[in-house]
Amino acid sequence: MRTVTILGSTGSIGQATLDLISRREGDFAVEALTGAGNIPLLAAQAIRHRARLAVTAREDLHADLKAALAGTGIETAAGPAAVAEAAARPVDWTMAAIVGAAGLVPSLAVLRRGGTLALANKETLVAGGPLVMAEAARTGACLLPVDSEHSGLFQALRGERAEEVERLILTASGGAFRDWPLHRLREATPEQASTHPNWAMGQRITIDSASMFNKALEIIEAHVLFGLPADRIEVVIHPESLVHALVGFRDGALIAHLGAPDMRHAIGFALNHPLREALPVERLDLVRAGRLTFREPDPARYPALRLARLAMEQGGLMPAVFNAAKEAALDAFLARAIRFTQMAEIVERTLDRLSGDGRMPRLCRAGEMPGLDDILEADRLGRKEAAALAGRMTREEA
Ligand SMILES: NC(=O)C1=CN([C@@H]2O[C@H](COP(=O)(O)OP(=O)(O)OC[C@H]3O[C@@H](n4cnc5c(N)ncnc54)[C@H](OP(=O)(O)O)[C@@H]3O)[C@@H](O)[C@H]2O)C=CC1
Ligand SMILES: CC(=O)[C@@H](O)[C@H](O)COP(=O)(O)O
Ligand SMILES: [Mn+2]
């Protein structure tokens, strides 16, 4: 029996992970489940999966969680520190499926105890890349990518020599607005941006797919995980989302990862690693799929890709600023305070203002190992700057 903890169990990835675990009754014992606002689901999951501990990141909801689990014997806790403490409890396998940079500290807690971390939370690697990889190396922790493209790359790279790898190719669906006329993008609403052509995912990553900020984060994620420079990590639009990623080797060969758009493949691969076990995912019928199409991303439609490369060039902690600015801009878009197209403007202006900013002397020196406090400070400054810019844009529009 393997012990598991799921950080972000109430979300899309968290629920898919529990689905796989529930199909293998007797193989896994759930130590801790964590969520934030969805207390009824968190409590129901904790009871159904006989968790020892249920944690909400929201201290204001602790009383509700306690009430929902009264008499069950399941321990409860609340607040960001309690989520990190849950992550630090020793278990055999942990899924990191919190959304946003809030996932960084809990992910680090797993790595610091030398645990096995199935990492869906890409923001952990974007905000904390060098520190995260250094911690994993220091403790001998096992880091398993779960983001579908990075799981695909990881699988295609198994047994290959690093020096023979020439390039990595990430596919992108193009998101909700890939076929909209460019001039209409500024009118796009949060509801329209919250639909994905192929994948069923949480709302924030779905909107990031529409703006291409998701793929922008994934370029940085691939760089951190696999060590290739940005100019050897390519993005190609692939509307069918059946090819998830490709590795290009120096002899010209490409090894691709294909599968139906179902995250239970990547989650299951990480759950069963280093073995492959049967998974309840659709077997791809290539004849029915018919054709696989690819095209170049239009830089005017998707400025996010250029901005990720800019943050990488700026170096130091600018990728953490990039992510924070994107999260704050997305908050403003969701609150209908700014337009869809203004998210990229805000991120670009935040990068411009904070690169080389006197308040962040350490943040822009590439090659230096940032500490957690540095990263959290970069995150705080990035959010603050982006929120201020969003506020100004809202006032100007009024
Ligand atoms: N969904 C997908 O298919 C994919 C997701 N990913 C990545 O996986 C991560 C999770 O995505 P997804 O499952 O879609 O997201 P969801 O929004 O569906 O779920 C997010 C989870 O995080 C919890 N949460 C939200 N805010 C906080 C916080 N401040 N502190 C602690 N927990 C919090 C939520 O709790 P509650 O719901 O209770 O409020 C929920 O459990 C993201 O980083 C995403 O980019 C990567 C590839 C694919
Ligand atoms: C399933 C997954 O890994 C997502 O990150 C997915 O890639 C989103 O789709 P896009 O290709 O539209 O970004
Ligand atoms: Mn992905």
Side-chain angles (χ1 to χ4, degrees):
M1 176 95 79
R2 290 164 69 203
T3 51
V4 301
T5 282
I6 299 164
L7 308 168
S9 64
T10 49
S12 160
I13 293 283
Q15 292 180 54
T17 307
L18 282 172
D19 172 69
L20 289 180
I21 283 172
S22 66
R23 291 163 189 265
R24 302 246 312 256
E25 212 74 57
D27 284 359
F28 299 102
V30 176
E31 175 68 24
L33 298 177
T34 83
N38 194 343
I39 300 300
L41 181 58
L42 178 60
Q45 289 177 336
I47 293 167
R48 158 79 179 82
H49 297 279
R50 293 189 284 278
R52 290 162 70 102
L53 170 67
V55 185
T56 167
R58 298 258 311 262
E59 279 171 63
D60 58 317
L61 297 180
H62 195 188
D64 293 356
L65 182 61
K66 276 201 249 188
L69 291 176
T72 62
I74 298 170
E75 210 183 317
T76 67
V83 174
E85 280 161 28
R89 286 191 180 195
V91 286
D92 297 317
W93 189 87
T94 304
M95 165 56 74
I98 290 170
V99 65
L104 171 64
V105 171
S107 293
L108 274 173
V110 177
L111 298 175
R112 285 184 168 151
R113 65 170 162 77
T116 295
L117 182 66
L119 188 57
N121 175 251
K122 62 193 85 187
E123 297 89 347
T124 287
L125 292 168
V126 175
L131 176 66
V132 168
M133 297 310 278
E135 282 300 293
R138 184 180 68 80
T139 62
C142 177
L143 184 53
L144 298 165
V146 171
D147 206 342
S148 65
E149 300 75 6
H150 305 72
S151 171
L153 292 172
F154 185 72
Q155 294 178 48
L157 283 165
R158 283 221 288 192
E160 302 292 347
R161 292 168 194 271
E163 66 273 20
E164 293 172 0
V165 176
E166 196 171 62
R167 59 185 176 139
L168 305 176
I169 304 173
L170 308 173
T171 62
S173 71
F177 307 136
R178 69 180 173 218
D179 299 319
W180 278 36
L182 267 186
H183 69 86
R184 279 192 59 208
L185 286 185
R186 63 191 302 276
E187 309 298 341
T189 65
E191 290 74 22
Q192 290 166 329
S194 299
T195 60
H196 194 280
N198 305 315
W199 295 92
M201 309 186 289
Q203 186 184 31
R204 295 182 74 92
I205 185 177
T206 301
I207 299 177
D208 287 349
S209 289
S211 63
M212 202 53 77
F213 269 110
N214 181 48
K215 215 54 52 181
L217 297 174
E218 290 182 358
I219 296 173
I220 304 174
E221 183 184 13
H223 164 70
V224 171
L225 281 170
F226 305 111
L228 266 77
D231 61 355
R232 286 164 57 195
I233 303 174
E234 301 167 16
V235 172
V236 62
I237 303 289
H238 170 49
E240 296 83 13
S241 296
L242 298 177
V243 179
H244 304 137
L246 307 92
V247 178
F249 294 89
R250 66 183 178 196
D251 61 356
L254 283 174
I255 296 189
H257 184 277
L258 283 82
D262 182 342
M263 280 305 291
R264 290 177 306 171
H265 172 75
I267 297 166
F269 179 82
L271 188 63
N272 299 317
H273 184 269
L275 305 176
R276 282 190 189 271
E277 304 284 355
L279 290 171
V281 298
E282 181 193 326
R283 271 46 179 170
L284 190 56
D285 180 338
L286 287 172
V287 174
R288 235 183 78 214
R291 73 177 56 210
L292 304 172
T293 59
F294 302 93
R295 60 182 193 242
E296 206 179 330
D298 172 3
R301 185 178 296 272
Y302 301 122
L305 297 177
R306 174 178 57 80
L307 298 177
R309 295 187 193 281
L310 173 65
M312 292 169 85
E313 258 169 50
Q314 290 171 331
L317 287 171
M318 293 311 286
V321 170
F322 172 78
N323 178 67
K326 188 282 294 177
E327 288 194 31
L330 177 53
D331 289 340
F333 174 62
L334 281 167
R336 294 169 208 280
I338 60 163
R339 293 177 181 275
F340 181 76
T341 43
Q342 287 177 318
M343 288 192 284
E345 283 175 44
I346 286 173
V347 172
E348 180 151 27
R349 284 164 68 178
T350 303
L351 291 177
D352 283 350
R353 285 181 190 213
L354 294 187
S355 57
D357 188 284
R359 288 171 297 172
M360 304 198 300
R362 296 198 58 207
L363 303 189
C364 301
R365 260 186 242 145
E368 204 175 314
M369 170 65 74
L372 180 57
D373 289 348
D374 300 323
I375 297 166
L376 296 179
E377 180 62 1
D379 179 271
R380 190 187 68 77
L381 287 168
R383 271 171 216 275
K384 193 171 158 209
E385 190 67 38
L389 284 166
R392 233 166 289 153
M393 284 179 177
T394 312
R395 285 193 295 279
E396 278 165 16
E397 185 105 352

